[in-house]
Amino acid sequence: MIFVTVGTHEQQFNRLVEEVDKLKEDGTITEDVFIQTGFSTYEPKNCQWSKLISYKEMNNKIKEARIVITHGGPASFIAPLQIGKIPIVVPRQEKYGEHVNDHQLEFAKNVEERNKNIIPVYDIKDLKEKILGYEKIIKNMNLKISNNNEKFNERLEWKIKEMLK
């Protein structure tokens, strides 16, 4: 199953929703697809969909999915990373009326360069290639995500032990 989430931002993300629906229609995608469409105005004809789903349902879909395709909101693409799945990230772009600026684009580029653990799609025409080559692409990617809380706790524990000596 492929799970697509566009988040809850109040602007449409028709570009992504329509492309996935088209890929399902033309047989590029043969497995089931569920799209959380948010405030998009396009309604998929070839995929299961819902405008909004609960946090619990979203996490279940992420766990169930072979591929997670998400917008560029950090929380949406960190969720699959936390369970060892590399997401395909399609940042919303201002020029398409999908967001108020291009912060998702800039953030995705930064994560791609620094962590090398997402598959970014900056041009929607590249989505087909990323879906078809997904298994090959993720083969050598970094599945680990840096957890600053864990690092902080380890250092704090070490400091406390040192103080108690």
Side-chain angles (χ1 to χ4, degrees), residues 15 89-91 93 95-96 104-113 118-127 130:
R15 183 170 58 102
V89 177
V90 184
Q93 294 184 37
K95 69 182 178 183
Y96 299 114
Q104 286 194 1
L105 193 63
E106 293 163 14
F107 190 71
K109 286 180 179 179
N110 191 353
V111 171
E112 175 190 19
E113 289 173 21
I118 64 170
I119 302 168
V121 173
Y122 304 117
D123 184 333
I124 203 67
K125 289 180 266 170
D126 297 334
L127 183 60
K130 302 300 184 185

Side-chain angles (χ1 to χ4, degrees), residues 57-70:
E57 188 176 356
M58 185 175 98
N59 283 330
N60 288 339
K61 297 266 186 219
I62 289 170
K63 288 175 189 166
E64 181 186 335
R66 180 179 70 87
I67 298 176
V68 176
I69 302 172
T70 179

Side-chain angles (χ1 to χ4, degrees), residues 1 10 12 39 45 47 72-73 77 81 83 109 137 149 152:
M1 190 264 287
E10 62 273 2
Q12 58 76 28
F39 292 92
K45 296 161 191 62
C47 305
F77 68 78
L81 286 169
I83 61 167
K109 286 180 179 179
I137 294 168
N149 289 341
F152 174 82

Side-chain angles (χ1 to χ4, degrees), residues 30-112:
T30 56
E31 60 200 291
D32 290 340
V33 177
F34 185 92
I35 306 173
Q36 178 267 315
T37 63
F39 292 92
S40 301
T41 55
Y42 177 83
E43 295 184 353
K45 296 161 191 62
N46 306 289
C47 305
Q48 294 179 318
W49 65 278
S50 180
K51 285 204 170 283
L52 299 170
I53 58 176
S54 70
Y55 181 76
K56 181 180 178 182
E57 188 176 356
M58 185 175 98
N59 283 330
N60 288 339
K61 297 266 186 219
I62 289 170
K63 288 175 189 166
E64 181 186 335
R66 180 179 70 87
I67 298 176
V68 176
I69 302 172
T70 179
H71 67 116
S76 291
F77 68 78
I78 287 172
L81 286 169
Q82 288 177 322
I83 61 167
K85 292 186 180 187
I86 302 286
I88 296 175
V89 177
V90 184
R92 291 173 173 267
Q93 294 184 37
E94 179 184 25
K95 69 182 178 183
Y96 299 114
E98 298 162 350
H99 221 304
V100 297
N101 59 31
D102 284 331
H103 71 277
Q104 286 194 1
L105 193 63
E106 293 163 14
F107 190 71
K109 286 180 179 179
N110 191 353
V111 171
E112 175 190 19

